[in-house]
């Protein structure tokens, strides 16, 4: 499910999968490519209770092109780079998903 930047995403765009968490466990764990247009799909109201009630949310189909079992690039590595000084994932980490990356 996606909540933001829907008008900026198109088929073929590259995707970076980020896992949140404490310290060095947070970071990039994979890559993908947008494989279709945004469409509604049923998702759990709360992902903490996936068996609970469901609701329609905008959904972005993505083909996974690479996935790792451990962090590939960690939050500390990215935060140290000046180009990421204003990256909204670091300034608003609890904000809804889909952060723009160029």
């Amino acid at each position: 499910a996606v909540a933001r930047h829907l008008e900026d995403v198109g088929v073929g765009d590259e995707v970076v999968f980020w896992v949140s968490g404490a310290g060095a466990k947070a970071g990039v764990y994979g890559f993908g490519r947008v494989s279709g247009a945004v469409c509604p799909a049923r998702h759990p109201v709360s992902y903490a209770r996936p068996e609970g009630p469901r609701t329609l949310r905008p959904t972005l189909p993505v083909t996974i092109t690479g996935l790792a079992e451990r962090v590939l690039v960690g939050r500390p590595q990215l935060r140290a780079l000046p180009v990421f000084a204003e990256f909204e994932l670091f300034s608003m980490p609890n904000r809804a998903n889909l952060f723009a990356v160029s």
Side-chain angles (χ1 to χ4, degrees):
V2 292
R4 302 175 37 238
H5 300 293
L6 299 179
E7 65 283 350
D8 299 328
V9 179
V11 174
D13 286 352
E14 293 181 21
V15 175
V16 178
F17 293 105
W18 179 271
V19 174
S20 296
K25 290 186 177 183
V28 175
Y29 278 78
F31 303 93
R33 191 169 305 279
V34 176
S35 57
V38 174
C39 58
R42 294 189 129 345
H43 291 266
V45 171
S46 169
Y47 290 108
R49 293 185 359 186
E51 71 287 343
R54 299 181 84 72
T55 187
L56 281 177
R57 291 188 179 154
T59 302
L60 187 64
V62 172
T63 299
I64 295 172
T65 58
L67 200 56
E69 293 183 22
R70 60 178 177 77
V71 65
L72 298 171
V73 182
R75 179 191 343 238
Q77 292 170 283
L78 292 179
R79 285 197 84 131
L81 299 173
V83 70
F84 284 98
E86 302 294 320
F87 190 38
E88 66 180 345
L89 177 63
F90 299 140
S91 61
M92 295 179 270
N94 294 325
R95 194 166 192 187
N97 62 14
L98 210 58
F99 293 90
V101 179
S102 61

